[in-house]
Amino acid sequence: MTKLPYYLVNVFAETHFGGNPLAVFTNAAMLNDTQMQAIAKQFNLSETVFIQPSNDDHVVANLRIFTPNYEMPFAGHPTLGASFVLSQLNNLPDQFIINTQAKAVHIHRDDVQIFLTISGFEVTPCQVSQAYLTDICQINSNKINYLGYFANSGTTQFLLQLDSLDDLLHAKIDLIKLQELFAKHCPDTSAEPSIYLWYQDEYCEEIIHSRMLFEQDGIFIEDTGTGSACANLGAYLIHQGLTPTRKTIHQGDHLGRANRLYLNIDTAQNIQVGGRVVMVGTGELWLDG
């Protein structure tokens, strides 16, 4: 029987039990795809991350990131959570590089927060009617003032700005219509249907409220804190010429798991996403065979 150590962390956490939970497997070199997928389904978190060795002296490790149903090429909270655990265990320098399936990611940490920095993205406006977008969200508003956008800074998602916080909190996604939207309009044919809804706070320009919903087993699951979507929001802001900028993203509050994501974009169009990570436990998984 193989015993695999793992760590439980909360990413984007302002409190001990806030943030987005993550399981980090630190010694996953011997695991195959089927085993990693089965372990992710066992933990049933939004993502589980597996750390594997890198053959590149400039890269600390390679990451494999799995939801309960499929592998993701990139995701923010697993990348930050894994980087935090590696730093804690190995006394790494304040800056290092870690590989995801999508791209290399630069990591920087200080005494309080840990950040990832990426560059390169694609943003595609979605040319459908505002009424169709309203139907997807099943909100009471009779209008949406903004186009939707497909954004990919590592993982493709559909981004839609809403007019009010009330619309954001009461949106209920029509799965069939969103699947149809991805099938007909998404430039990334391999992308899983997901939607990132966001609202610019009317009282504070630096605060954005958001929700992230994605398909799992034929229903929509809501994520409490989504680093990849925060990075895609950064790509959208660059696309709109609204940079350099700094934003604080509020996500998960209405689910009882407050997440705070810090988005910084510099003049070179580098996208930086970060927050606090809290270690909440460790253990062993027993693998048969």
Side-chain angles (χ1 to χ4, degrees):
M1 177 176 290
T2 302
K3 296 182 179 181
L4 298 173
Y6 66 85
Y7 294 83
L8 295 176
V9 295
N10 290 331
V11 184
F12 308 127
E14 300 288 300
T15 63
H16 189 76
F17 287 117
N20 196 351
L22 176 74
V24 181
F25 281 81
T26 54
N27 186 20
M30 76 293 293
L31 296 177
N32 59 41
D33 293 3
T34 301
Q35 291 169 319
M36 287 186 282
Q37 186 65 78
I39 292 169
K41 186 173 285 291
Q42 172 72 33
F43 275 77
N44 201 36
L45 298 170
S46 58
E47 287 104 12
T48 297
V49 61
F50 301 88
I51 298 175
Q52 299 183 329
S54 168
N55 295 323
D56 186 340
D57 291 340
H58 298 96
V59 175
V60 168
N62 296 328
L63 302 185
R64 302 286 300 276
I65 301 167
F66 285 79
T67 76
N69 288 357
Y70 53 85
E71 184 174 9
M72 297 188 71
F74 170 75
H77 103 275
T79 302
L80 290 170
S83 298
F84 175 84
V85 170
L86 283 171
S87 294
Q88 293 291 303
L89 297 180
N90 299 295
N91 194 29
L92 295 178
D94 291 341
Q95 299 185 51
F96 56 90
I97 299 173
I98 199 162
N99 269 340
T100 67
Q101 294 287 87
K103 59 177 62 180
V105 179
H106 292 259
I107 302 294
H108 168 75
R109 63 167 304 185
D110 56 30
D111 293 337
V112 178
Q113 298 173 328
I114 187 165
F115 286 87
L116 61 84
T117 302
I118 57 175
S119 58
F121 60 86
E122 296 178 357
V123 175
T124 306
C126 183
Q127 301 295 332
V128 297
S129 70
Q130 293 172 339
Y132 188 78
L133 296 176
T134 301
D135 287 343
I136 287 177
C137 299
Q138 302 181 67
I139 54 179
N140 294 326
S141 286
N142 57 11
K143 62 179 174 47
I144 291 178
N145 287 332
Y146 307 91
L147 287 172
Y149 291 81
F150 290 102
N152 181 3
S153 58
T155 297
T156 299
Q157 295 149 347
F158 182 66
L159 277 62
L160 183 62
Q161 184 175 4
L162 299 183
D163 286 341
S164 72
L165 184 58
D166 186 66
D167 281 345
L168 177 70
L169 294 177
H170 290 92
K172 295 181 180 179
I173 304 306
D174 185 319
L175 175 58
I176 300 301
K177 286 187 179 295
L178 188 66
Q179 289 174 328
E180 181 182 79
L181 182 76
F182 268 71
K184 291 183 177 180
H185 299 281
C186 183
D188 180 1
T189 57
S190 66
E192 298 289 339
S194 61
I195 184 167
Y196 185 69
L197 304 174
W198 63 282
Y199 164 70
Q200 173 65 61
D201 191 281
E202 60 185 309
Y203 301 109
C204 181
E205 182 67 24
E206 293 186 356
I207 294 177
I208 287 175
H209 305 270
S210 70
R211 294 177 65 193
M212 174 68 180
L213 299 104
F214 59 94
E215 182 186 0
Q216 182 174 305
D217 295 327
I219 62 173
F220 265 99
I221 302 296
E222 183 161 358
D223 202 16
T224 58
T226 318
S228 58
C230 184
N232 280 341
L233 178 62
Y236 165 82
L237 294 174
I238 294 171
H239 182 265
Q240 297 297 105
L242 300 174
T243 59
T245 190
R246 291 178 179 269
K247 301 287 187 182
T248 300
I249 315 300
H250 292 217
Q251 188 178 347
D253 295 62
H254 66 292
L255 300 174
R257 296 283 305 199
N259 284 242
R260 295 295 178 267
L261 296 80
Y262 301 96
L263 171 63
N264 305 322
I265 306 170
D266 63 21
T267 55
Q269 299 189 349
N270 294 306
I271 300 170
Q272 188 179 73
V273 176
R276 294 177 174 85
V277 181
V278 177
M279 187 89 73
V280 294
T282 186
E284 284 183 339
L285 179 76
W286 298 350
L287 194 64
D288 218 358

